[in-house]
Amino acid sequence: KANEYISVDNRKINYSYEINGKVLSLAIEYSDYNEENRSPKITYDVYNINLETKKNLSKKEMLDLYEVKESQIKEIVASKFGEYYETVLEKEYMKESKCDYECFLYFRGIIFEQYLKDYHLYIKNGDLYVIRPFNIFSYYDEDKYFTSKHFFIQITN
């Protein structure tokens, strides 16, 4: 998949991995810098492999491992986007606009508060994270603040 992906111009791949006890978490980031948009489309493939059984853990197995419900994850992710919005306002990226929170979410590509659309689970330093890619670019230059590290939202600690 990686060879096929990078054979097209303006595409990049990056990855990160963590070994946490018996689980290897591997996150592969695909960035497609097409000419139509100012911003790249970023997607992920994430694998959480039980090193004893050599099986990829499902989202349900990951949630069970940390005793977390999807509704709790949604609350945490929604709260984090609220924090991101407040930070963007504090840093005055949107000072000349009338863009409210819904508008902010729209520019992130989060329509109808679909906080968990295309999310993945990842273990880092023993803690559970959600990887939730979103558009870091808009008309207000927030890309000077956001990076792909903002896609990793800590769920447990």
Side-chain angles (χ1 to χ4, degrees), residues 22-118:
K22 64 179 182 177
V23 179
L24 164 68
S25 289
L26 170 66
I28 305 169
E29 179 184 281
Y30 301 92
S31 303
D32 187 353
Y33 293 83
N34 64 48
E35 295 178 23
E36 296 174 17
N37 296 320
R38 177 179 161 206
S39 62
K41 177 170 174 54
I42 298 175
T43 57
Y44 280 84
D45 283 337
V46 178
Y47 304 94
N48 292 289
I49 301 166
N50 180 317
L51 295 172
E52 292 174 353
T53 65
K54 311 289 189 268
K55 303 278 185 203
N56 191 31
L57 299 172
S58 68
K59 280 184 182 174
K60 182 182 179 335
E61 290 170 318
M62 293 286 289
L63 294 173
D64 290 348
L65 184 64
Y66 282 88
E67 299 177 351
V68 174
K69 296 188 182 323
E70 199 168 72
S71 60
Q72 293 170 292
I73 290 175
K74 183 178 181 181
E75 283 181 32
I76 293 168
V77 172
S79 175
K80 183 57 78 173
F81 276 97
E83 288 175 29
Y84 291 164
Y85 176 66
E86 291 300 322
T87 301
V88 165
L89 291 178
E90 287 170 16
K91 293 188 177 291
E92 298 186 346
Y93 289 114
M94 301 172 77
K95 67 181 175 182
E96 301 297 324
S97 85
K98 294 181 180 165
C99 191
D100 62 6
Y101 183 64
E102 292 300 317
C103 171
F104 170 80
L105 289 178
Y106 172 80
F107 281 117
R108 305 284 75 78
I110 300 172
I111 311 298
F112 306 117
E113 297 186 351
Q114 293 177 333
Y115 295 107
L116 298 186
K117 183 180 178 191
D118 301 325

